[in-house]
mmCIF file of all heavy atoms in Angstrom:
data_model
loop_
_atom_site.group_PDB
_atom_site.id
_atom_site.type_symbol
_atom_site.label_atom_id
_atom_site.label_comp_id
_atom_site.label_asym_id
_atom_site.label_seq_id
_atom_site.Cartn_x
_atom_site.Cartn_y
_atom_site.Cartn_z
ATOM 1 N N GLU X 217 155.594 85.947 134.203
ATOM 2 C CA GLU X 217 156.916 85.564 134.637
ATOM 3 C C GLU X 217 156.779 84.652 135.868
ATOM 4 O O GLU X 217 155.995 84.879 136.781
ATOM 5 C CB GLU X 217 157.711 86.813 135.073
ATOM 6 C CG GLU X 217 158.002 87.725 133.899
ATOM 7 C CD GLU X 217 158.801 88.961 134.341
ATOM 8 O OE1 GLU X 217 159.120 89.019 135.562
ATOM 9 O OE2 GLU X 217 159.121 89.759 133.470
ATOM 10 N N ILE X 218 157.594 83.578 135.859
ATOM 11 C CA ILE X 218 157.576 82.673 137.032
ATOM 12 C C ILE X 218 158.206 83.427 138.221
ATOM 13 O O ILE X 218 159.256 84.079 138.100
ATOM 14 C CB ILE X 218 158.380 81.413 136.731
ATOM 15 C CG1 ILE X 218 157.714 80.706 135.564
ATOM 16 C CG2 ILE X 218 158.520 80.514 137.931
ATOM 17 C CD1 ILE X 218 158.466 79.457 135.141
ATOM 18 N N PRO X 219 157.556 83.375 139.350
ATOM 19 C CA PRO X 219 158.107 84.112 140.530
ATOM 20 C C PRO X 219 159.570 83.778 140.780
ATOM 21 O O PRO X 219 159.935 82.586 140.643
ATOM 22 C CB PRO X 219 157.172 83.695 141.661
ATOM 23 C CG PRO X 219 155.926 83.260 140.976
ATOM 24 C CD PRO X 219 156.351 82.670 139.651
ATOM 25 N N LYS X 220 160.342 84.763 141.115
ATOM 26 C CA LYS X 220 161.707 84.546 141.417
ATOM 27 C C LYS X 220 161.931 83.715 142.610
ATOM 28 O O LYS X 220 162.821 82.890 142.728
ATOM 29 C CB LYS X 220 162.447 85.908 141.551
ATOM 30 C CG LYS X 220 162.463 86.755 140.244
ATOM 31 C CD LYS X 220 163.170 88.055 140.444
ATOM 32 C CE LYS X 220 163.109 88.897 139.207
ATOM 33 N NZ LYS X 220 163.827 90.169 139.400
ATOM 34 N N LYS X 221 161.033 83.921 143.567
ATOM 35 C CA LYS X 221 161.146 83.109 144.798
ATOM 36 C C LYS X 221 160.671 81.698 144.584
ATOM 37 O O LYS X 221 159.630 81.530 144.017
ATOM 38 C CB LYS X 221 160.366 83.820 145.918
ATOM 39 C CG LYS X 221 160.397 83.026 147.237
ATOM 40 C CD LYS X 221 159.499 83.707 148.309
ATOM 41 C CE LYS X 221 159.467 82.911 149.571
ATOM 42 N NZ LYS X 221 158.585 83.568 150.582
ATOM 43 N N GLN X 222 161.440 80.769 145.004
ATOM 44 C CA GLN X 222 161.036 79.358 144.823
ATOM 45 C C GLN X 222 159.878 79.045 145.702
ATOM 46 O O GLN X 222 159.901 79.318 146.882
ATOM 47 C CB GLN X 222 162.211 78.433 145.163
ATOM 48 C CG GLN X 222 161.920 76.988 145.017
ATOM 49 C CD GLN X 222 161.677 76.604 143.547
ATOM 50 O OE1 GLN X 222 162.314 77.083 142.682
ATOM 51 N NE2 GLN X 222 160.687 75.739 143.378
ATOM 52 N N ALA X 223 158.844 78.497 145.082
ATOM 53 C CA ALA X 223 157.624 78.143 145.856
ATOM 54 C C ALA X 223 157.941 76.958 146.792
ATOM 55 O O ALA X 223 158.793 76.125 146.501
ATOM 56 C CB ALA X 223 156.507 77.793 144.919
ATOM 57 N N ILE X 224 157.226 76.930 147.906
ATOM 58 C CA ILE X 224 157.396 75.792 148.832
ATOM 59 C C ILE X 224 156.891 74.529 148.198
ATOM 60 O O ILE X 224 156.048 74.618 147.277
ATOM 61 C CB ILE X 224 156.759 76.102 150.193
ATOM 62 C CG1 ILE X 224 155.230 76.210 149.997
ATOM 63 C CG2 ILE X 224 157.307 77.322 150.889
ATOM 64 C CD1 ILE X 224 154.465 76.396 151.305
ATOM 65 N N SER X 225 157.339 73.448 148.584
ATOM 66 C CA SER X 225 157.075 72.171 147.927
ATOM 67 C C SER X 225 155.582 71.861 147.778
ATOM 68 O O SER X 225 155.167 71.264 146.785
ATOM 69 C CB SER X 225 157.799 71.008 148.673
ATOM 70 O OG SER X 225 157.324 70.942 150.023
ATOM 71 N N GLU X 226 154.787 72.257 148.771
ATOM 72 C CA GLU X 226 153.379 71.952 148.740
ATOM 73 C C GLU X 226 152.654 72.721 147.650
ATOM 74 O O GLU X 226 151.522 72.297 147.209
ATOM 75 C CB GLU X 226 152.693 72.323 150.098
ATOM 76 C CG GLU X 226 153.042 71.367 151.250
ATOM 77 C CD GLU X 226 154.351 71.810 151.923
ATOM 78 O OE1 GLU X 226 155.070 72.696 151.368
ATOM 79 O OE2 GLU X 226 154.679 71.243 153.007
ATOM 80 N N TYR X 227 153.243 73.805 147.129
ATOM 81 C CA TYR X 227 152.570 74.639 146.131
ATOM 82 C C TYR X 227 153.223 74.466 144.702
ATOM 83 O O TYR X 227 152.822 75.113 143.790
ATOM 84 C CB TYR X 227 152.632 76.104 146.511
ATOM 85 C CG TYR X 227 151.810 76.442 147.782
ATOM 86 C CD1 TYR X 227 152.392 77.273 148.759
ATOM 87 C CD2 TYR X 227 150.576 75.849 147.959
ATOM 88 C CE1 TYR X 227 151.632 77.561 149.918
ATOM 89 C CE2 TYR X 227 149.831 76.146 149.124
ATOM 90 C CZ TYR X 227 150.378 76.960 150.116
ATOM 91 O OH TYR X 227 149.649 77.285 151.215
ATOM 92 N N ILE X 228 154.247 73.613 144.646
ATOM 93 C CA ILE X 228 154.933 73.415 143.304
ATOM 94 C C ILE X 228 153.961 72.950 142.278
ATOM 95 O O ILE X 228 153.973 73.460 141.146
ATOM 96 C CB ILE X 228 156.109 72.453 143.453
ATOM 97 C CG1 ILE X 228 157.258 73.078 144.269
ATOM 98 C CG2 ILE X 228 156.628 72.012 142.050
ATOM 99 C CD1 ILE X 228 157.912 74.221 143.541
ATOM 100 N N ASP X 229 153.140 71.961 142.607
ATOM 101 C CA ASP X 229 152.147 71.473 141.599
ATOM 102 C C ASP X 229 151.194 72.552 141.166
ATOM 103 O O ASP X 229 150.874 72.591 139.966
ATOM 104 C CB ASP X 229 151.363 70.300 142.241
ATOM 105 C CG ASP X 229 152.253 69.057 142.386
ATOM 106 O OD1 ASP X 229 153.320 68.997 141.709
ATOM 107 O OD2 ASP X 229 151.850 68.125 143.158
ATOM 108 N N TYR X 230 150.746 73.387 142.077
ATOM 109 C CA TYR X 230 149.888 74.487 141.694
ATOM 110 C C TYR X 230 150.594 75.410 140.695
ATOM 111 O O TYR X 230 149.988 75.916 139.728
ATOM 112 C CB TYR X 230 149.429 75.320 142.944
ATOM 113 C CG TYR X 230 148.523 74.589 143.849
ATOM 114 C CD1 TYR X 230 148.707 74.597 145.226
ATOM 115 C CD2 TYR X 230 147.456 73.813 143.342
ATOM 116 C CE1 TYR X 230 147.839 73.979 146.116
ATOM 117 C CE2 TYR X 230 146.606 73.145 144.185
ATOM 118 C CZ TYR X 230 146.825 73.241 145.551
ATOM 119 O OH TYR X 230 145.911 72.569 146.413
ATOM 120 N N GLN X 231 151.858 75.715 140.960
ATOM 121 C CA GLN X 231 152.584 76.600 140.100
ATOM 122 C C GLN X 231 152.721 75.966 138.709
ATOM 123 O O GLN X 231 152.554 76.729 137.681
ATOM 124 C CB GLN X 231 154.000 76.883 140.662
ATOM 125 C CG GLN X 231 154.825 77.822 139.852
ATOM 126 C CD GLN X 231 156.116 78.216 140.529
ATOM 127 O OE1 GLN X 231 156.073 78.683 141.638
ATOM 128 N NE2 GLN X 231 157.259 78.014 139.872
ATOM 129 N N PHE X 232 152.975 74.717 138.618
ATOM 130 C CA PHE X 232 153.073 74.024 137.291
ATOM 131 C C PHE X 232 151.760 74.086 136.566
ATOM 132 O O PHE X 232 151.664 74.293 135.327
ATOM 133 C CB PHE X 232 153.516 72.578 137.438
ATOM 134 C CG PHE X 232 154.954 72.464 137.798
ATOM 135 C CD1 PHE X 232 155.444 71.306 138.492
ATOM 136 C CD2 PHE X 232 155.861 73.466 137.468
ATOM 137 C CE1 PHE X 232 156.822 71.201 138.775
ATOM 138 C CE2 PHE X 232 157.237 73.301 137.753
ATOM 139 C CZ PHE X 232 157.690 72.176 138.445
ATOM 140 N N ARG X 233 150.632 73.862 137.299
ATOM 141 C CA ARG X 233 149.295 73.937 136.680
ATOM 142 C C ARG X 233 148.988 75.273 136.149
ATOM 143 O O ARG X 233 148.441 75.473 135.061
ATOM 144 C CB ARG X 233 148.245 73.514 137.685
ATOM 145 C CG ARG X 233 148.262 72.001 138.001
ATOM 146 C CD ARG X 233 147.258 71.624 139.057
ATOM 147 N NE ARG X 233 145.902 71.868 138.626
ATOM 148 C CZ ARG X 233 144.840 71.758 139.442
ATOM 149 N NH1 ARG X 233 145.007 71.401 140.709
ATOM 150 N NH2 ARG X 233 143.622 71.996 138.971
ATOM 151 N N LEU X 234 149.389 76.309 136.932
ATOM 152 C CA LEU X 234 149.213 77.669 136.465
ATOM 153 C C LEU X 234 149.982 77.976 135.215
ATOM 154 O O LEU X 234 149.508 78.660 134.277
ATOM 155 C CB LEU X 234 149.590 78.694 137.575
ATOM 156 C CG LEU X 234 148.618 78.813 138.737
ATOM 157 C CD1 LEU X 234 149.213 79.688 139.881
ATOM 158 C CD2 LEU X 234 147.309 79.386 138.294
ATOM 159 N N ASP X 235 151.257 77.528 135.134
ATOM 160 C CA ASP X 235 152.054 77.699 133.941
ATOM 161 C C ASP X 235 151.399 77.075 132.743
ATOM 162 O O ASP X 235 151.327 77.666 131.650
ATOM 163 C CB ASP X 235 153.460 77.076 134.169
ATOM 164 C CG ASP X 235 154.242 77.830 135.195
ATOM 165 O OD1 ASP X 235 153.868 78.994 135.517
ATOM 166 O OD2 ASP X 235 155.236 77.260 135.716
ATOM 167 N N GLU X 236 150.893 75.840 132.906
ATOM 168 C CA GLU X 236 150.233 75.157 131.784
ATOM 169 C C GLU X 236 148.973 75.869 131.330
ATOM 170 O O GLU X 236 148.685 76.031 130.113
ATOM 171 C CB GLU X 236 149.880 73.679 132.205
ATOM 172 C CG GLU X 236 151.114 72.839 132.419
ATOM 173 C CD GLU X 236 150.716 71.459 132.905
ATOM 174 O OE1 GLU X 236 149.527 71.172 133.151
ATOM 175 O OE2 GLU X 236 151.632 70.615 133.071
ATOM 176 N N LEU X 237 148.145 76.342 132.324
ATOM 177 C CA LEU X 237 146.924 77.038 131.960
ATOM 178 C C LEU X 237 147.215 78.352 131.234
ATOM 179 O O LEU X 237 146.513 78.734 130.316
ATOM 180 C CB LEU X 237 146.065 77.280 133.239
ATOM 181 C CG LEU X 237 145.436 76.074 133.870
ATOM 182 C CD1 LEU X 237 144.831 76.422 135.175
ATOM 183 C CD2 LEU X 237 144.441 75.434 132.982
#
Side-chain angles (χ1 to χ4, degrees):
E217 296 181 359
I218 298 177
K220 295 180 181 180
K221 178 183 176 181
Q222 179 65 40
I224 62 175
S225 59
E226 289 85 350
Y227 296 137
I228 288 292
D229 288 342
Y230 289 138
Q231 182 171 305
F232 287 155
R233 288 176 65 187
L234 287 171
D235 293 342
E236 292 176 357
L237 290 173

